[in-house]
mmCIF file of all heavy atoms in Angstrom:
data_model
loop_
_atom_site.group_PDB
_atom_site.id
_atom_site.type_symbol
_atom_site.label_atom_id
_atom_site.label_comp_id
_atom_site.label_asym_id
_atom_site.label_seq_id
_atom_site.Cartn_x
_atom_site.Cartn_y
_atom_site.Cartn_z
ATOM 1 N N TRP N 1 0.834 -1.203 0.000
ATOM 2 C CA TRP N 1 0.000 0.000 0.000
ATOM 3 C C TRP N 1 0.866 1.250 0.000
ATOM 4 O O TRP N 1 0.659 2.167 -0.795
ATOM 5 C CB TRP N 1 -0.928 -0.013 1.216
ATOM 6 C CG TRP N 1 -1.946 1.083 1.204
ATOM 7 C CD1 TRP N 1 -1.940 2.232 1.933
ATOM 8 C CD2 TRP N 1 -3.139 1.138 0.395
ATOM 9 N NE1 TRP N 1 -3.042 3.007 1.648
ATOM 10 C CE2 TRP N 1 -3.794 2.355 0.706
ATOM 11 C CE3 TRP N 1 -3.708 0.290 -0.540
ATOM 12 C CZ2 TRP N 1 -4.989 2.736 0.107
ATOM 13 C CZ3 TRP N 1 -4.904 0.667 -1.138
ATOM 14 C CH2 TRP N 1 -5.525 1.872 -0.815
ATOM 15 N N LEU N 2 1.871 1.259 0.874
ATOM 16 C CA LEU N 2 2.742 2.425 0.974
ATOM 17 C C LEU N 2 3.640 2.575 -0.249
ATOM 18 O O LEU N 2 4.162 3.667 -0.516
ATOM 19 C CB LEU N 2 3.600 2.326 2.240
ATOM 20 C CG LEU N 2 2.837 2.345 3.570
ATOM 21 C CD1 LEU N 2 3.796 2.171 4.733
ATOM 22 C CD2 LEU N 2 2.036 3.632 3.723
ATOM 23 N N ARG N 3 3.801 1.500 -0.979
ATOM 24 C CA ARG N 3 4.613 1.589 -2.198
ATOM 25 C C ARG N 3 4.032 2.618 -3.163
ATOM 26 O O ARG N 3 4.761 3.252 -3.926
ATOM 27 C CB ARG N 3 4.690 0.225 -2.868
ATOM 28 C CG ARG N 3 5.465 0.249 -4.178
ATOM 29 C CD ARG N 3 5.524 -1.112 -4.831
ATOM 30 N NE ARG N 3 5.902 -1.002 -6.225
ATOM 31 C CZ ARG N 3 6.048 -2.032 -7.042
ATOM 32 N NH1 ARG N 3 5.829 -3.258 -6.596
ATOM 33 N NH2 ARG N 3 6.384 -1.849 -8.295
ATOM 34 N N ASN N 4 2.722 2.801 -3.138
ATOM 35 C CA ASN N 4 2.099 3.817 -3.992
ATOM 36 C C ASN N 4 2.645 5.209 -3.693
ATOM 37 O O ASN N 4 2.829 6.023 -4.611
ATOM 38 C CB ASN N 4 0.576 3.802 -3.792
ATOM 39 C CG ASN N 4 -0.076 2.544 -4.322
ATOM 40 O OD1 ASN N 4 -0.214 2.357 -5.519
ATOM 41 N ND2 ASN N 4 -0.466 1.656 -3.415
ATOM 42 N N ILE N 5 2.905 5.471 -2.417
ATOM 43 C CA ILE N 5 3.468 6.770 -2.037
ATOM 44 C C ILE N 5 4.942 6.831 -2.429
ATOM 45 O O ILE N 5 5.434 7.871 -2.884
ATOM 46 C CB ILE N 5 3.305 7.017 -0.525
ATOM 47 C CG1 ILE N 5 1.836 6.862 -0.122
ATOM 48 C CG2 ILE N 5 3.813 8.402 -0.149
ATOM 49 C CD1 ILE N 5 1.598 6.895 1.368
ATOM 50 N N ARG N 6 5.637 5.727 -2.262
ATOM 51 C CA ARG N 6 7.045 5.686 -2.664
ATOM 52 C C ARG N 6 7.184 5.877 -4.166
ATOM 53 O O ARG N 6 8.151 6.475 -4.646
ATOM 54 C CB ARG N 6 7.661 4.363 -2.205
ATOM 55 C CG ARG N 6 7.810 4.278 -0.687
ATOM 56 C CD ARG N 6 8.188 2.910 -0.196
ATOM 57 N NE ARG N 6 8.351 2.924 1.260
ATOM 58 C CZ ARG N 6 8.063 1.906 2.058
ATOM 59 N NH1 ARG N 6 7.602 0.773 1.536
ATOM 60 N NH2 ARG N 6 8.231 2.001 3.349
ATOM 61 N N ASP N 7 6.209 5.388 -4.911
ATOM 62 C CA ASP N 7 6.211 5.613 -6.358
ATOM 63 C C ASP N 7 6.024 7.096 -6.683
ATOM 64 O O ASP N 7 6.582 7.596 -7.666
ATOM 65 C CB ASP N 7 5.110 4.789 -7.031
ATOM 66 C CG ASP N 7 5.458 3.313 -7.118
ATOM 67 O OD1 ASP N 7 6.651 2.971 -6.953
ATOM 68 O OD2 ASP N 7 4.543 2.497 -7.324
ATOM 69 N N VAL N 8 5.233 7.781 -5.867
ATOM 70 C CA VAL N 8 5.077 9.227 -6.043
ATOM 71 C C VAL N 8 6.416 9.918 -5.824
ATOM 72 O O VAL N 8 6.800 10.815 -6.586
ATOM 73 C CB VAL N 8 4.017 9.795 -5.072
ATOM 74 C CG1 VAL N 8 3.997 11.328 -5.130
ATOM 75 C CG2 VAL N 8 2.636 9.245 -5.399
ATOM 76 N N TYR N 9 7.153 9.473 -4.801
ATOM 77 C CA TYR N 9 8.483 10.025 -4.546
ATOM 78 C C TYR N 9 9.390 9.775 -5.753
ATOM 79 O O TYR N 9 10.107 10.678 -6.209
ATOM 80 C CB TYR N 9 9.100 9.396 -3.290
ATOM 81 C CG TYR N 9 10.307 10.148 -2.761
ATOM 82 C CD1 TYR N 9 10.272 10.770 -1.524
ATOM 83 C CD2 TYR N 9 11.487 10.235 -3.501
ATOM 84 C CE1 TYR N 9 11.359 11.476 -1.041
ATOM 85 C CE2 TYR N 9 12.582 10.924 -3.028
ATOM 86 C CZ TYR N 9 12.522 11.543 -1.802
ATOM 87 O OH TYR N 9 13.608 12.235 -1.343
ATOM 88 N N ARG N 10 9.329 8.571 -6.302
ATOM 89 C CA ARG N 10 10.168 8.242 -7.454
ATOM 90 C C ARG N 10 9.854 9.152 -8.639
ATOM 91 O O ARG N 10 10.762 9.621 -9.333
ATOM 92 C CB ARG N 10 9.960 6.778 -7.842
ATOM 93 C CG ARG N 10 10.697 6.349 -9.101
ATOM 94 C CD ARG N 10 10.468 4.882 -9.401
ATOM 95 N NE ARG N 10 9.060 4.563 -9.491
ATOM 96 C CZ ARG N 10 8.307 4.788 -10.566
ATOM 97 N NH1 ARG N 10 8.834 5.368 -11.643
ATOM 98 N NH2 ARG N 10 7.042 4.451 -10.583
ATOM 99 N N LEU N 11 8.569 9.425 -8.857
ATOM 100 C CA LEU N 11 8.169 10.283 -9.975
ATOM 101 C C LEU N 11 8.667 11.714 -9.804
ATOM 102 O O LEU N 11 8.911 12.415 -10.789
ATOM 103 C CB LEU N 11 6.644 10.286 -10.108
ATOM 104 C CG LEU N 11 5.994 9.002 -10.630
ATOM 105 C CD1 LEU N 11 4.487 9.078 -10.505
ATOM 106 C CD2 LEU N 11 6.402 8.736 -12.079
ATOM 107 N N HIS N 12 8.793 12.147 -8.560
ATOM 108 C CA HIS N 12 9.167 13.536 -8.276
ATOM 109 C C HIS N 12 10.479 13.605 -7.494
ATOM 110 O O HIS N 12 10.717 14.549 -6.739
ATOM 111 C CB HIS N 12 8.048 14.222 -7.478
ATOM 112 C CG HIS N 12 6.733 14.243 -8.208
ATOM 113 N ND1 HIS N 12 6.423 15.199 -9.142
ATOM 114 C CD2 HIS N 12 5.666 13.403 -8.148
ATOM 115 C CE1 HIS N 12 5.208 14.961 -9.630
ATOM 116 N NE2 HIS N 12 4.729 13.875 -9.040
ATOM 117 N N GLU N 13 11.312 12.614 -7.693
ATOM 118 C CA GLU N 13 12.569 12.514 -6.933
ATOM 119 C C GLU N 13 13.445 13.738 -7.107
ATOM 120 O O GLU N 13 14.050 14.243 -6.149
ATOM 121 C CB GLU N 13 13.315 11.252 -7.374
ATOM 122 C CG GLU N 13 14.561 10.946 -6.550
ATOM 123 C CD GLU N 13 15.181 9.617 -6.962
ATOM 124 O OE1 GLU N 13 14.694 9.006 -7.941
ATOM 125 O OE2 GLU N 13 16.149 9.204 -6.313
ATOM 126 N N GLY N 14 13.544 14.231 -8.335
ATOM 127 C CA GLY N 14 14.391 15.391 -8.595
ATOM 128 C C GLY N 14 13.983 16.600 -7.773
ATOM 129 O O GLY N 14 14.824 17.262 -7.155
ATOM 130 N N GLU N 15 12.681 16.893 -7.738
ATOM 131 C CA GLU N 15 12.192 18.040 -6.966
ATOM 132 C C GLU N 15 12.378 17.822 -5.467
ATOM 133 O O GLU N 15 12.859 18.712 -4.749
ATOM 134 C CB GLU N 15 10.712 18.281 -7.264
ATOM 135 C CG GLU N 15 10.101 19.388 -6.415
ATOM 136 C CD GLU N 15 8.594 19.524 -6.586
ATOM 137 O OE1 GLU N 15 8.042 18.923 -7.540
ATOM 138 O OE2 GLU N 15 7.966 20.243 -5.774
ATOM 139 N N LEU N 16 12.014 16.645 -4.990
ATOM 140 C CA LEU N 16 12.048 16.377 -3.548
ATOM 141 C C LEU N 16 13.469 16.345 -2.999
ATOM 142 O O LEU N 16 13.719 16.813 -1.885
ATOM 143 C CB LEU N 16 11.331 15.063 -3.243
ATOM 144 C CG LEU N 16 9.807 15.089 -3.433
ATOM 145 C CD1 LEU N 16 9.228 13.687 -3.422
ATOM 146 C CD2 LEU N 16 9.150 15.944 -2.346
ATOM 147 N N ASP N 17 14.406 15.801 -3.761
ATOM 148 C CA ASP N 17 15.783 15.709 -3.280
ATOM 149 C C ASP N 17 16.463 17.063 -3.172
ATOM 150 O O ASP N 17 17.480 17.206 -2.490
ATOM 151 C CB ASP N 17 16.597 14.792 -4.187
ATOM 152 C CG ASP N 17 16.277 13.318 -3.965
ATOM 153 O OD1 ASP N 17 15.558 13.016 -2.986
ATOM 154 O OD2 ASP N 17 16.729 12.473 -4.768
ATOM 155 N N LYS N 18 15.907 18.057 -3.848
ATOM 156 C CA LYS N 18 16.459 19.407 -3.745
ATOM 157 C C LYS N 18 16.024 20.107 -2.457
ATOM 158 O O LYS N 18 16.592 21.124 -2.082
ATOM 159 C CB LYS N 18 16.026 20.237 -4.946
ATOM 160 C CG LYS N 18 16.655 19.796 -6.264
ATOM 161 C CD LYS N 18 16.134 20.636 -7.425
ATOM 162 C CE LYS N 18 16.704 20.167 -8.757
ATOM 163 N NZ LYS N 18 16.151 20.942 -9.894
ATOM 164 N N ILE N 19 15.007 19.567 -1.797
ATOM 165 C CA ILE N 19 14.505 20.180 -0.562
ATOM 166 C C ILE N 19 15.315 19.632 0.612
ATOM 167 O O ILE N 19 15.210 18.450 0.957
ATOM 168 C CB ILE N 19 13.009 19.878 -0.366
ATOM 169 C CG1 ILE N 19 12.212 20.364 -1.580
ATOM 170 C CG2 ILE N 19 12.489 20.532 0.919
ATOM 171 C CD1 ILE N 19 10.740 19.990 -1.541
ATOM 172 N N LYS N 20 16.112 20.449 1.232
ATOM 173 C CA LYS N 20 17.007 20.006 2.300
ATOM 174 C C LYS N 20 16.305 19.891 3.641
ATOM 175 O O LYS N 20 16.643 19.033 4.461
ATOM 176 C CB LYS N 20 18.202 20.966 2.421
ATOM 177 C CG LYS N 20 19.014 21.081 1.141
ATOM 178 C CD LYS N 20 19.476 19.726 0.636
ATOM 179 C CE LYS N 20 20.259 19.842 -0.666
ATOM 180 N NZ LYS N 20 20.647 18.510 -1.202
ATOM 181 N N ASP N 21 15.329 20.749 3.870
ATOM 182 C CA ASP N 21 14.590 20.694 5.137
ATOM 183 C C ASP N 21 13.629 19.506 5.107
ATOM 184 O O ASP N 21 12.754 19.424 4.245
ATOM 185 C CB ASP N 21 13.807 21.999 5.336
ATOM 186 C CG ASP N 21 13.084 22.028 6.670
ATOM 187 O OD1 ASP N 21 11.941 21.527 6.739
ATOM 188 O OD2 ASP N 21 13.659 22.544 7.630
ATOM 189 N N GLU N 22 13.803 18.578 6.053
ATOM 190 C CA GLU N 22 13.018 17.342 6.038
ATOM 191 C C GLU N 22 11.527 17.595 6.243
ATOM 192 O O GLU N 22 10.693 16.918 5.656
ATOM 193 C CB GLU N 22 13.534 16.385 7.130
ATOM 194 C CG GLU N 22 14.901 15.799 6.823
ATOM 195 C CD GLU N 22 14.917 15.011 5.519
ATOM 196 O OE1 GLU N 22 13.964 14.240 5.260
ATOM 197 O OE2 GLU N 22 15.879 15.185 4.745
ATOM 198 N N THR N 23 11.198 18.584 7.069
ATOM 199 C CA THR N 23 9.787 18.898 7.292
ATOM 200 C C THR N 23 9.141 19.410 6.016
ATOM 201 O O THR N 23 8.025 19.007 5.651
ATOM 202 C CB THR N 23 9.628 19.944 8.403
ATOM 203 O OG1 THR N 23 10.169 19.416 9.622
ATOM 204 C CG2 THR N 23 8.155 20.283 8.624
ATOM 205 N N GLN N 24 9.842 20.293 5.316
ATOM 206 C CA GLN N 24 9.306 20.827 4.063
ATOM 207 C C GLN N 24 9.228 19.754 2.987
ATOM 208 O O GLN N 24 8.294 19.736 2.171
ATOM 209 C CB GLN N 24 10.174 21.996 3.593
ATOM 210 C CG GLN N 24 10.098 23.230 4.477
ATOM 211 C CD GLN N 24 8.662 23.710 4.675
ATOM 212 O OE1 GLN N 24 7.889 23.825 3.716
ATOM 213 N NE2 GLN N 24 8.295 24.011 5.913
ATOM 214 N N LYS N 25 10.200 18.857 2.973
ATOM 215 C CA LYS N 25 10.169 17.750 2.008
ATOM 216 C C LYS N 25 8.969 16.858 2.266
ATOM 217 O O LYS N 25 8.267 16.436 1.333
ATOM 218 C CB LYS N 25 11.459 16.931 2.108
ATOM 219 C CG LYS N 25 11.505 15.746 1.146
ATOM 220 C CD LYS N 25 12.749 14.888 1.360
ATOM 221 C CE LYS N 25 13.996 15.648 0.967
ATOM 222 N NZ LYS N 25 15.208 14.770 0.995
ATOM 223 N N TYR N 26 8.714 16.588 3.530
ATOM 224 C CA TYR N 26 7.580 15.764 3.941
ATOM 225 C C TYR N 26 6.262 16.423 3.538
ATOM 226 O O TYR N 26 5.365 15.790 2.968
ATOM 227 C CB TYR N 26 7.680 15.557 5.455
ATOM 228 C CG TYR N 26 6.512 14.936 6.158
ATOM 229 C CD1 TYR N 26 5.715 13.964 5.560
ATOM 230 C CD2 TYR N 26 6.222 15.315 7.476
ATOM 231 C CE1 TYR N 26 4.659 13.393 6.244
ATOM 232 C CE2 TYR N 26 5.164 14.745 8.159
ATOM 233 C CZ TYR N 26 4.387 13.785 7.546
ATOM 234 O OH TYR N 26 3.341 13.228 8.222
ATOM 235 N N ARG N 27 6.140 17.719 3.786
ATOM 236 C CA ARG N 27 4.923 18.447 3.418
ATOM 237 C C ARG N 27 4.728 18.447 1.899
ATOM 238 O O ARG N 27 3.610 18.305 1.399
ATOM 239 C CB ARG N 27 4.990 19.890 3.950
ATOM 240 C CG ARG N 27 4.806 19.988 5.456
ATOM 241 C CD ARG N 27 5.082 21.395 5.958
ATOM 242 N NE ARG N 27 4.115 22.355 5.462
ATOM 243 C CZ ARG N 27 2.958 22.656 6.092
ATOM 244 N NH1 ARG N 27 2.638 22.055 7.223
ATOM 245 N NH2 ARG N 27 2.135 23.567 5.593
ATOM 246 N N ARG N 28 5.829 18.614 1.161
ATOM 247 C CA ARG N 28 5.708 18.634 -0.295
ATOM 248 C C ARG N 28 5.302 17.262 -0.830
ATOM 249 O O ARG N 28 4.515 17.172 -1.779
ATOM 250 C CB ARG N 28 7.034 19.076 -0.913
ATOM 251 C CG ARG N 28 6.990 19.182 -2.443
ATOM 252 C CD ARG N 28 5.871 20.093 -2.914
ATOM 253 N NE ARG N 28 5.823 20.182 -4.376
ATOM 254 C CZ ARG N 28 4.754 20.563 -5.066
ATOM 255 N NH1 ARG N 28 3.631 20.900 -4.436
ATOM 256 N NH2 ARG N 28 4.779 20.626 -6.373
ATOM 257 N N LEU N 29 5.795 16.197 -0.211
ATOM 258 C CA LEU N 29 5.394 14.851 -0.638
ATOM 259 C C LEU N 29 3.911 14.627 -0.375
ATOM 260 O O LEU N 29 3.232 13.978 -1.176
ATOM 261 C CB LEU N 29 6.228 13.782 0.082
ATOM 262 C CG LEU N 29 5.923 12.326 -0.297
ATOM 263 C CD1 LEU N 29 6.059 12.108 -1.802
ATOM 264 C CD2 LEU N 29 6.830 11.368 0.469
ATOM 265 N N VAL N 30 3.407 15.161 0.727
ATOM 266 C CA VAL N 30 1.968 15.087 1.002
ATOM 267 C C VAL N 30 1.199 15.727 -0.153
ATOM 268 O O VAL N 30 0.227 15.166 -0.669
ATOM 269 C CB VAL N 30 1.633 15.795 2.333
ATOM 270 C CG1 VAL N 30 0.123 16.020 2.460
ATOM 271 C CG2 VAL N 30 2.138 14.976 3.520
ATOM 272 N N GLU N 31 1.644 16.906 -0.589
ATOM 273 C CA GLU N 31 0.965 17.614 -1.680
ATOM 274 C C GLU N 31 1.073 16.854 -3.005
ATOM 275 O O GLU N 31 0.083 16.711 -3.735
ATOM 276 C CB GLU N 31 1.571 19.013 -1.826
ATOM 277 C CG GLU N 31 1.353 19.902 -0.619
ATOM 278 C CD GLU N 31 2.135 21.197 -0.687
ATOM 279 O OE1 GLU N 31 2.985 21.348 -1.591
ATOM 280 O OE2 GLU N 31 1.909 22.076 0.179
ATOM 281 N N LEU N 32 2.265 16.365 -3.300
ATOM 282 C CA LEU N 32 2.466 15.639 -4.557
ATOM 283 C C LEU N 32 1.660 14.352 -4.586
ATOM 284 O O LEU N 32 1.149 13.955 -5.643
ATOM 285 C CB LEU N 32 3.958 15.342 -4.752
ATOM 286 C CG LEU N 32 4.841 16.554 -5.038
ATOM 287 C CD1 LEU N 32 6.312 16.164 -4.982
ATOM 288 C CD2 LEU N 32 4.511 17.164 -6.406
ATOM 289 N N ASN N 33 1.539 13.715 -3.437
ATOM 290 C CA ASN N 33 0.733 12.494 -3.364
ATOM 291 C C ASN N 33 -0.734 12.797 -3.676
ATOM 292 O O ASN N 33 -1.392 12.073 -4.429
ATOM 293 C CB ASN N 33 0.855 11.863 -1.979
ATOM 294 C CG ASN N 33 0.030 10.603 -1.853
ATOM 295 O OD1 ASN N 33 0.131 9.682 -2.662
ATOM 296 N ND2 ASN N 33 -0.822 10.554 -0.831
ATOM 297 N N VAL N 34 -1.245 13.896 -3.129
ATOM 298 C CA VAL N 34 -2.631 14.290 -3.404
ATOM 299 C C VAL N 34 -2.810 14.559 -4.902
ATOM 300 O O VAL N 34 -3.782 14.102 -5.520
ATOM 301 C CB VAL N 34 -3.020 15.545 -2.594
ATOM 302 C CG1 VAL N 34 -4.379 16.063 -3.036
ATOM 303 C CG2 VAL N 34 -3.035 15.227 -1.105
ATOM 304 N N LEU N 35 -1.870 15.274 -5.502
ATOM 305 C CA LEU N 35 -1.968 15.601 -6.924
ATOM 306 C C LEU N 35 -1.937 14.338 -7.791
ATOM 307 O O LEU N 35 -2.696 14.223 -8.759
ATOM 308 C CB LEU N 35 -0.835 16.543 -7.317
ATOM 309 C CG LEU N 35 -0.951 17.974 -6.770
ATOM 310 C CD1 LEU N 35 0.375 18.710 -6.919
ATOM 311 C CD2 LEU N 35 -2.063 18.734 -7.511
ATOM 312 N N GLU N 36 -1.083 13.379 -7.425
ATOM 313 C CA GLU N 36 -1.002 12.146 -8.209
ATOM 314 C C GLU N 36 -2.265 11.303 -8.052
ATOM 315 O O GLU N 36 -2.734 10.686 -9.014
ATOM 316 C CB GLU N 36 0.230 11.335 -7.794
ATOM 317 C CG GLU N 36 1.549 11.908 -8.266
ATOM 318 C CD GLU N 36 1.650 12.003 -9.782
ATOM 319 O OE1 GLU N 36 1.044 11.170 -10.494
ATOM 320 O OE2 GLU N 36 2.335 12.923 -10.270
ATOM 321 N N GLN N 37 -2.830 11.278 -6.859
ATOM 322 C CA GLN N 37 -4.072 10.508 -6.664
ATOM 323 C C GLN N 37 -5.232 11.165 -7.408
ATOM 324 O O GLN N 37 -6.112 10.483 -7.942
ATOM 325 C CB GLN N 37 -4.386 10.373 -5.170
ATOM 326 C CG GLN N 37 -3.268 9.750 -4.334
ATOM 327 C CD GLN N 37 -2.624 8.538 -4.974
ATOM 328 O OE1 GLN N 37 -3.312 7.643 -5.471
ATOM 329 N NE2 GLN N 37 -1.291 8.504 -4.977
ATOM 330 N N ALA N 38 -5.225 12.490 -7.458
ATOM 331 C CA ALA N 38 -6.249 13.191 -8.240
ATOM 332 C C ALA N 38 -6.104 12.851 -9.723
ATOM 333 O O ALA N 38 -7.097 12.666 -10.431
ATOM 334 C CB ALA N 38 -6.141 14.699 -8.020
ATOM 335 N N ARG N 39 -4.877 12.760 -10.197
ATOM 336 C CA ARG N 39 -4.649 12.350 -11.590
ATOM 337 C C ARG N 39 -5.157 10.932 -11.821
ATOM 338 O O ARG N 39 -5.692 10.613 -12.896
ATOM 339 C CB ARG N 39 -3.159 12.446 -11.930
ATOM 340 C CG ARG N 39 -2.635 13.875 -12.019
ATOM 341 C CD ARG N 39 -1.218 13.928 -12.564
ATOM 342 N NE ARG N 39 -0.731 15.304 -12.600
ATOM 343 C CZ ARG N 39 0.056 15.850 -11.677
ATOM 344 N NH1 ARG N 39 0.458 15.119 -10.650
ATOM 345 N NH2 ARG N 39 0.446 17.102 -11.770
ATOM 346 N N ASN N 40 -4.979 10.069 -10.833
ATOM 347 C CA ASN N 40 -5.493 8.708 -10.963
ATOM 348 C C ASN N 40 -7.015 8.695 -11.115
ATOM 349 O O ASN N 40 -7.572 7.873 -11.841
ATOM 350 C CB ASN N 40 -5.086 7.872 -9.749
ATOM 351 C CG ASN N 40 -3.614 7.503 -9.755
ATOM 352 O OD1 ASN N 40 -2.947 7.618 -10.788
ATOM 353 N ND2 ASN N 40 -3.108 7.069 -8.618
ATOM 354 N N VAL N 41 -7.674 9.616 -10.423
ATOM 355 C CA VAL N 41 -9.135 9.731 -10.565
ATOM 356 C C VAL N 41 -9.481 10.158 -11.985
ATOM 357 O O VAL N 41 -10.399 9.608 -12.612
ATOM 358 C CB VAL N 41 -9.706 10.742 -9.551
ATOM 359 C CG1 VAL N 41 -11.195 10.968 -9.805
ATOM 360 C CG2 VAL N 41 -9.484 10.257 -8.123
ATOM 361 N N ILE N 42 -8.735 11.117 -12.518
ATOM 362 C CA ILE N 42 -9.005 11.629 -13.861
ATOM 363 C C ILE N 42 -8.784 10.544 -14.913
ATOM 364 O O ILE N 42 -9.456 10.528 -15.956
ATOM 365 C CB ILE N 42 -8.113 12.859 -14.145
ATOM 366 C CG1 ILE N 42 -8.468 13.998 -13.175
ATOM 367 C CG2 ILE N 42 -8.275 13.344 -15.591
ATOM 368 C CD1 ILE N 42 -7.511 15.184 -13.241
ATOM 369 N N LYS N 43 -7.900 9.626 -14.655
ATOM 370 C CA LYS N 43 -7.612 8.556 -15.612
ATOM 371 C C LYS N 43 -8.744 7.540 -15.739
ATOM 372 O O LYS N 43 -8.776 6.774 -16.699
ATOM 373 C CB LYS N 43 -6.333 7.814 -15.202
ATOM 374 C CG LYS N 43 -5.062 8.650 -15.278
ATOM 375 C CD LYS N 43 -3.895 7.894 -14.658
ATOM 376 C CE LYS N 43 -2.659 8.764 -14.536
ATOM 377 N NZ LYS N 43 -1.568 8.050 -13.819
ATOM 378 N N THR N 44 -9.659 7.508 -14.800
ATOM 379 C CA THR N 44 -10.703 6.484 -14.810
ATOM 380 C C THR N 44 -11.695 6.717 -15.937
ATOM 381 O O THR N 44 -12.019 7.854 -16.295
ATOM 382 C CB THR N 44 -11.466 6.441 -13.473
ATOM 383 O OG1 THR N 44 -12.099 7.704 -13.246
ATOM 384 C CG2 THR N 44 -10.529 6.123 -12.316
ATOM 385 N N ALA N 45 -12.209 5.630 -16.474
ATOM 386 C CA ALA N 45 -13.152 5.705 -17.586
ATOM 387 C C ALA N 45 -14.434 6.426 -17.196
ATOM 388 O O ALA N 45 -14.951 7.257 -17.958
ATOM 389 C CB ALA N 45 -13.470 4.292 -18.085
#
């Protein structure tokens, strides 16, 4: 289940790895995860 979130990290690894502050990186991953799940909704027939 959590692999889905790790896949989001993989998709946005370049952006996330540039964020040095761990709290900000964590918050940004929360946002990116929401955006990717919303895209998954849009992909549905």
